[in-house]
Amino acid sequence: MSSTWGNTLKLSIFGESHGPAIGMVLDGLPAGEPIDLAAVQVQMARRAPGLTAGSTPRMEADAPHVLSGMLEGRLTGAPVCVVIENTNVKSHDYANILHLPRPSHADYTGSVRYGGYNDIRGGGHFSGRLTAPLTAAGAICRQILGRRGVTIGSHVYQIHQICDTPFDPVHVDAGTLNRLNQEPFTVLDLKKKREMCTQIAQAQAEKDSLGGVIECAAVGLPAGIGSPMFDALESRIASLLYGIPAVKGVSFGDGFAISGLHGSEANDSMYYDESGSVKTRTNHNGGILGGISTGMPLLLRVAIKPTASIAQQQQTIDCVSHENATLVIKGRHDSCIAVRAQPVVEAAVAVALLDAMLTQGEVTCRG
């Protein structure tokens, strides 16, 4: 399984949903950087179940244990290894999916790819549980970025058909992002959040699920980060975002909507501000041109599909008898995984941006 990502900064994710533990290794971090583990735990808590509407009843402490790479609160330059114990598993809930694959899950494709040897308990290595170590990795990276003036934040932009107010693509600021990136399930319009919660509760009552969209922004990113063609900044960020289970779409700036504009509308006209910095009056391209950052806010949206594990009876196949079959999924699942995806999306963006900045020498060892 390919669970390692990165150019200069290498991220590896390991473990299974119902194994003893999950974790990550970050190799290539600059030595000497102070890391606040309490701030890491804040991000872990945002992703943890039990704090948002419709979340799974599986409760895990998600306490990250640092095994290497840190000494007296600072990075040593060695690979950072973080382990998170799995303490609340119910593997018997997944006994029937050995031969009855869950619709829209990786049970069937994983079995074909790995000859039936993949761990299917709770989804194994395909599980959303593996986003916990990704969140820990991002929480470390965002602290390093923050000391370079880069701030990342997001909000739940859409649940089902209910949309929050979008970010101002030109004037979104660090204060707004910092207000959003410390709590779970944040929005810009609280009225919309109440409507979203009502929709999630209704879907849960109907033994169904909902999808959603996370809008993420980064400000303070200097111009000139990234490369053209196959190492474009969008490509690097998107490749990591697509590693998050349930992500089915990533767009930057206006995304698909930009195709419906005239060039005169879509072009972001440039000017020098009062400090002599280059700015654009609009930001349809989301802060990236030619795969390289422009210095304007980086804006992206991530589409997350409805949770595939629903309690309704569904049609599937029996891989033993080779007949059509029905399935009622057991276990503990979110009715809307998108509301817990905010810190995961932010984490992926943080890791990707730090890797890009390290590759170009924009971040070096302290001291």
Side-chain angles (χ1 to χ4, degrees), residues 53-56 199-201 203-205 207-211 305-307 309-310 333-339:
S55 69
T56 172
Q199 286 285 299
I200 293 170
Q204 190 172 34
K207 299 181 179 181
D208 214 331
S209 63
L210 298 175
K305 73 179 185 180
T307 311
S309 289
I310 58 175
H333 309 283
D334 297 81
S335 53
C336 182
I337 196 64
V339 297

Side-chain angles (χ1 to χ4, degrees), residues 206-265:
E206 295 171 352
K207 299 181 179 181
D208 214 331
S209 63
L210 298 175
V213 176
I214 304 300
E215 185 176 46
C216 184
V219 297
L221 184 68
I225 303 299
S227 300
M229 296 294 289
F230 305 123
D231 212 26
L233 192 57
E234 300 109 311
S235 303
R236 302 299 299 165
I237 296 171
S239 68
L240 197 48
L241 287 169
Y242 277 118
I244 301 172
V247 169
K248 301 302 290 184
V250 177
S251 67
F252 293 83
D254 286 0
F256 281 89
I258 203 169
S259 64
L261 302 178
H262 289 91
S264 56
E265 298 170 306

Side-chain angles (χ1 to χ4, degrees), residues 24 66 86 125 140 227 260 283 345 351:
M24 66 86 181
V66 180
N86 291 326
H125 195 67
I140 291 172
S227 300
N283 194 16
V345 169
V351 173

Side-chain angles (χ1 to χ4, degrees), residues 14-355:
F14 61 85
E16 291 84 27
S17 178
H18 285 209
I22 53 179
M24 66 86 181
V25 176
L26 266 177
D27 192 4
L29 291 169
E33 290 285 336
I35 299 299
D36 181 358
L37 292 180
V40 173
Q41 188 60 57
V42 166
Q43 299 304 318
M44 301 298 292
R46 293 176 67 209
R47 193 213 70 92
L51 298 177
T52 55
S55 69
T56 172
R58 176 179 177 176
M59 301 303 294
E60 294 280 4
D62 279 356
H65 302 288
V66 180
L67 301 186
S68 67
M70 285 186 62
L71 180 63
E72 298 178 349
R74 290 183 180 268
L75 298 177
T76 65
V80 172
C81 179
V82 172
V83 169
I84 303 164
E85 294 182 355
N86 291 326
T87 61
N88 186 1
V89 299
K90 293 185 178 180
S91 300
H92 60 273
D93 286 339
Y94 298 90
N96 63 337
I97 67 172
L98 279 169
H99 63 98
L100 297 173
R102 296 168 294 176
S104 290
H105 269 280
D107 301 335
Y108 171 70
T109 54
S111 178
V112 173
R113 174 67 175 82
Y114 296 105
Y117 291 104
N118 54 302
D119 186 346
I120 53 85
R121 300 170 303 166
H125 195 67
F126 295 92
S127 172
R129 178 88 183 117
L130 276 296
T131 61
L134 174 56
T135 301
I140 291 172
C141 292
R142 74 194 302 162
Q143 292 185 41
I144 300 171
L145 290 169
R147 284 189 283 273
R148 274 77 182 177
V150 180
T151 304
I152 299 168
S154 70
H155 67 121
V156 178
Y157 172 69
Q158 182 176 348
I159 296 295
H160 196 43
Q161 302 298 323
I162 301 170
C163 294
D164 189 23
T165 303
F167 280 137
D168 184 318
V170 174
H171 301 294
V172 60
D173 60 277
T176 298
L177 298 183
N178 279 326
R179 177 174 63 82
L180 296 168
N181 68 22
Q182 297 297 305
E183 301 290 339
F185 194 176
T186 52
V187 297
L188 298 177
D189 183 343
L190 291 178
K191 179 183 177 182
K192 295 297 184 181
K193 180 175 179 177
R194 290 190 290 269
E195 294 177 13
M196 292 174 181
C197 289
T198 299
Q199 286 285 299
I200 293 170
Q202 181 178 338
Q204 190 172 34
E206 295 171 352
K207 299 181 179 181
D208 214 331
S209 63
L210 298 175
V213 176
I214 304 300
E215 185 176 46
C216 184
V219 297
L221 184 68
I225 303 299
S227 300
M229 296 294 289
F230 305 123
D231 212 26
L233 192 57
E234 300 109 311
S235 303
R236 302 299 299 165
I237 296 171
S239 68
L240 197 48
L241 287 169
Y242 277 118
I244 301 172
V247 169
K248 301 302 290 184
V250 177
S251 67
F252 293 83
D254 286 0
F256 281 89
I258 203 169
S259 64
L261 302 178
H262 289 91
S264 56
E265 298 170 306
N267 290 347
D268 297 315
S269 60
M270 306 170 70
Y271 71 99
Y272 288 107
D273 68 8
E274 60 277 3
S275 68
S277 298
V278 176
K279 302 289 184 183
T280 59
R281 293 180 174 84
T282 54
N283 194 16
H284 298 292
N285 291 279
I288 302 175
L289 291 170
I292 301 169
S293 62
T294 66
M296 293 296 289
L298 171 66
L299 286 169
L300 60 95
R301 290 180 182 175
V302 180
I304 298 168
K305 73 179 185 180
T307 311
S309 289
I310 58 175
Q312 295 181 13
Q313 181 174 286
Q314 300 181 80
Q315 302 299 310
T316 186
I317 57 171
D318 189 317
C319 295
V320 175
S321 68
H322 300 288
E323 296 176 333
N324 295 326
T326 59
L327 170 69
V328 176
I329 297 173
K330 300 178 181 180
R332 300 161 293 175
H333 309 283
D334 297 81
S335 53
C336 182
I337 196 64
V339 297
R340 290 176 55 207
Q342 270 187 271
V344 188
V345 169
E346 293 170 17
V349 172
V351 173
L353 291 183
L354 183 57
D355 178 48

